[in-house]
Amino acid sequence: MKIAIVCYPTFGGSGVVATELGIALADKGHEVHFITYKQPVRLELLHSHVHYHEVTVPSYPLFHYQPYELALSSKLVDMVKLHKIDILHVHYAIPHAYAGYMAKKMLAEENICIPMVTTLHGTDITLVGSHPFYKSAVTFSINKSDIVTSVSQSLKEDTLRLFDIKNEINVVPNFIDVEKHDNPFTECQRDLMAHKDEKIITHVSNLRAVKRITDVIEIFNRIQKNMPAKLIMVGEGPEKLPAEELCEKLGIAEKVMFVGNSHEIDKILCFSDLFLLPSEHESFGLAALEAMACGVPVISSNTGGIPEVNKQGISGYLSDVGNVSEMAENAIHILSDESRLSEFKKNAKNSALEFDTKNIVPLYEELYEKALNGINV
Ligand code: GMT
């Protein structure tokens, strides 16, 4: 199959999932065309079946807002025709599903029928998409997609609750190549980050308000009062500065490392003992799954799709949003006993196997076949 993937190329989970999906599909022999405004961060182009087409939006002084979806839909039309693409897979409804639908209609004018699969990731529904400014367009483009998928059962329920959806929503969970994350601990450079007796706690996100970064710091503050520990904060975002200020205020700044965005998250995770994800909302929690695949137990909130990933008392513990004292107690419970910690590490890795690439990617392939057999132009 020739598949066009539209996604955000940045460090967000939806872009990571779209990129990993494209690479996995290319490994299986499909021809994959990424169409976005920048090369996706996790995309290496050294693959004969992977192509990247950049969407450029020339700036013009008349435009207060540059019309990205117009440029994207034109690019989609051109690329579908040039490369004889069979199927469009758009990740994140805004504005990709809308632009994809316009491209589909333009192509139909030339008797080219192409089905569109839309994958909903979370904030496109829960935070941004349901805003009255966008809601009608998001509802329309979801209903006009040939196939709709959501990354968790929880996101499916949120979508049905927040929008008037006529289409079926297929739950296809996010996935991870567990084997690729099988880093033997001997290869890790743990000593560079912490002393032997220190536990390493990690958080990875875009450091936005929804991630409750203050809670991450508060939980760590309680942990470090009980045992020697370091916190590694991976990512960039608006909550970084307030978090740094809080660390200063609590007197723990020298124990917390803000390392910015990283292309080596699996290396950081492989020497981590615990992962924190106390988010306000999370449709799936890909960062938690990445941690689990590296054998790192997760302390998280119990919101959205996280309980579908992090299993209570097995891969970690879940608490109500904001219950930092319970999250800290659970963290200390796991970290304070070496044999318990290694049991949780083993179980975290085993729990991640359910979401292994080889189990999930065929589900997308089946849906592509279904879309190709029942085009709704
Ligand atoms: O978490 C973010 O703010 C980024 C966002 C994105 O669109 O990249 O993540 C969403 O999609 C991820 C991949 O499907 C999910 O794992 C995240 O849970 C989801 N984020 C939220 O729902 C807040």
Side-chain angles (χ1 to χ4, degrees):
M1 257 182 261
K2 293 185 177 187
I3 305 153
I5 292 187
V6 179
C7 64
Y8 282 106
T10 47
F11 280 90
S14 65
V16 169
V17 170
T19 309
E20 298 291 349
L21 174 62
I23 294 167
L25 290 165
D27 285 343
K28 295 182 90 175
H30 299 288
E31 185 177 305
V32 177
H33 295 259
F34 285 94
I35 302 178
T36 179
Y37 60 82
K38 209 171 83 192
Q39 188 175 323
V41 283
R42 291 212 187 164
L43 184 65
E44 288 162 17
L45 283 171
L46 293 173
H47 195 303
S48 57
H49 292 121
V50 173
H51 307 266
Y52 161 61
H53 313 291
E54 188 162 307
V55 181
T56 38
V57 190
S59 95
Y60 184 65
L62 177 68
F63 299 144
H64 183 61
Y65 303 105
Q66 304 306 315
Y68 178 67
E69 48 272 52
L70 212 63
L72 174 60
S73 51
S74 288
K75 188 79 179 182
L76 285 172
V77 169
D78 295 347
M79 292 304 107
V80 167
K81 282 161 52 180
L82 184 66
H83 297 283
K84 307 212 170 352
I85 286 166
D86 301 309
I87 191 152
L88 288 181
H89 188 172
V90 303
H91 289 261
Y92 208 87
I94 306 170
H96 299 153
Y98 196 73
Y101 178 70
M102 287 317 295
K104 193 177 140 93
K105 287 316 254 185
M106 285 189 264
L107 288 160
E109 291 290 311
E110 299 184 46
N111 294 321
I112 299 170
C113 298
I114 182 157
M116 178 171 81
V117 176
T118 297
T119 291
L120 309 174
H121 279 274
T123 45
D124 47 350
I125 294 301
T126 52
L127 267 186
V128 194
S130 54
H131 191 283
F133 291 171
Y134 298 114
K135 198 168 176 175
S136 305
V138 172
T139 309
F140 174 81
S141 39
I142 294 174
N143 282 332
K144 290 292 178 184
S145 302
D146 296 279
I147 299 273
V148 181
T149 77
S150 75
V151 298
S152 64
Q153 179 61 31
S154 154
L155 181 59
K156 174 178 175 170
E157 285 159 18
D158 284 341
T159 311
L160 294 174
R161 181 171 47 80
L162 293 165
F163 298 86
D164 183 14
I165 299 301
K166 313 271 184 251
N167 246 341
E168 185 190 345
I169 299 180
N170 303 269
V171 176
V172 180
N174 287 333
F175 56 89
I176 192 134
D177 186 341
V178 178
E179 215 175 288
K180 217 167 79 186
H181 288 74
D182 230 347
N183 292 316
F185 280 86
T186 46
E187 278 183 18
C188 295
Q189 295 167 302
R190 189 191 161 101
D191 296 353
L192 293 175
M193 308 302 284
H195 296 299
K196 283 215 165 6
D197 65 331
E198 283 174 326
K199 291 286 181 271
I200 299 183
I201 325 293
T202 301
H203 171 80
V204 181
S205 78
N206 49 28
L207 308 188
R208 295 209 184 111
V210 72
K211 305 293 173 182
R212 294 186 70 100
I213 303 305
T214 305
D215 287 4
V216 174
I217 306 296
E218 293 286 357
I219 297 163
F220 175 71
N221 187 33
R222 287 164 164 82
I223 296 172
Q224 63 84 35
K225 284 181 181 159
N226 277 269
M227 64 188 72
K230 284 259 164 70
L231 173 64
I232 305 178
M233 299 287 289
V234 184
E236 290 291 346
E239 296 301 307
K240 185 175 171 179
L241 190 62
E244 285 173 326
E245 284 167 0
L246 180 61
C247 292
E248 288 288 344
K249 194 176 136 207
L250 295 170
I252 55 170
E254 79 288 355
K255 295 183 180 180
V256 183
M257 281 168 279
F258 288 85
V259 298
N261 286 327
S262 172
H263 289 282
E264 299 189 311
I265 288 173
D266 51 343
K267 284 202 185 134
I268 296 173
L269 287 170
C270 88
F271 52 64
S272 299
D273 296 297
L274 198 73
F275 189 81
L276 302 180
L277 193 68
S279 305
E280 182 81 34
H281 193 84
E282 205 68 67
S283 67
F284 183 87
L286 183 66
L289 178 60
E290 290 192 321
M292 287 160 56
C294 292
V296 184
V298 174
I299 293 293
S300 69
S301 54
N302 54 15
T303 184
I306 303 180
E308 295 171 49
V309 182
N310 185 21
K311 300 289 155 40
Q312 178 76 339
I314 298 167
S315 55
Y317 286 106
L318 302 94
S319 303
D320 290 342
V321 172
N323 193 345
V324 287
S325 43
E326 186 179 287
M327 291 186 204
E329 273 165 32
N330 287 334
I332 293 161
H333 173 73
I334 294 178
L335 293 169
S336 57
D337 181 302
E338 281 307 321
S339 68
R340 190 182 297 136
L341 175 59
S342 59
E343 190 65 14
F344 268 94
K345 284 185 172 181
K346 197 175 79 206
N347 292 341
K349 180 127 200 147
N350 282 339
S351 304
L353 287 172
E354 181 191 336
F355 302 95
D356 194 28
T357 306
K358 62 176 177 297
N359 298 330
I360 309 297
V361 172
L363 303 179
Y364 279 117
E365 288 175 295
E366 274 169 35
L367 291 171
Y368 294 163
E369 292 291 351
K370 201 171 149 192
L372 284 167
N373 291 331
I375 287 180
N376 159 33
V377 182

